[in-house]
Amino acid sequence: MQEISYINYSSTVRNNRKGGGVKGFLYFLLNLMPILIFSGIFVSAALIHLYVRNQILRYSYEIPIENKTQRMLLDENKALKSQLSMLISPVKIEKYAIEKLRMRYPEPEEIIEISSKSEKKDDGYIGFTR
């Protein structure tokens, strides 16, 4: 059996390497680049998937709450419309004016008629009396 000396073995291993220094580092990066690209794509896809799932979960909780709010607002709108229709009826307005505001119909002698034609004075002055 032949003995291999440490010097011959280490020189043989050193000579079988693809390169050293900058060349070896570039060779390492070129071999590592596809793995880094694949990992980056995988991590990006996983983050996008998590974000979308989070949004779906959030909206699945918000939709029933918003539907309930919408139903409440529609019911309130219906109640307010019916209340408004009762309040704007002429009979209700007249009753409110007489009872709460103490208004009354004018007597015949309290009515002042204003002619629709404006009369112009001789001096051309329109407005307050002098």
Side-chain angles (χ1 to χ4, degrees), residues 49-113:
H49 176 72
L50 288 175
Y51 175 75
V52 169
R53 294 293 290 178
N54 187 18
Q55 293 298 320
I56 290 171
L57 185 64
R58 188 180 80 173
Y59 289 135
S60 69
Y61 286 124
E62 286 181 7
I63 287 173
I65 294 170
E66 294 300 325
N67 284 338
K68 185 177 180 181
T69 306
Q70 181 186 16
R71 279 190 301 256
M72 281 181 15
L73 289 173
L74 287 173
D75 292 342
E76 184 181 355
N77 192 15
K78 285 179 187 177
L80 288 173
K81 281 183 181 179
S82 67
Q83 196 176 26
L84 177 68
S85 66
M86 286 184 356
L87 289 175
I88 61 173
S89 69
V91 175
K92 288 277 187 182
I93 293 173
E94 181 181 6
K95 183 178 176 184
Y96 183 81
I98 292 172
E99 291 177 2
K100 301 285 184 186
L101 301 177
R102 297 183 192 163
M103 297 176 114
R104 62 180 175 79
Y105 285 105
E107 299 296 326
E109 61 271 359
E110 294 175 337
I111 298 175
I112 302 172
E113 283 190 37

Side-chain angles (χ1 to χ4, degrees), residues 3-37:
E3 276 189 45
I4 300 174
S5 68
Y6 291 109
I7 297 171
N8 288 338
Y9 179 73
S10 62
S11 64
T12 306
V13 170
R14 190 178 303 137
N15 289 338
N16 285 339
R17 279 198 220 158
K18 294 279 180 169
V22 176
K23 274 187 176 182
F25 183 69
L26 288 176
Y27 183 74
F28 174 73
L29 282 180
L30 287 176
N31 287 333
L32 190 63
M33 193 62 66
I35 296 170
L36 290 175
I37 291 172

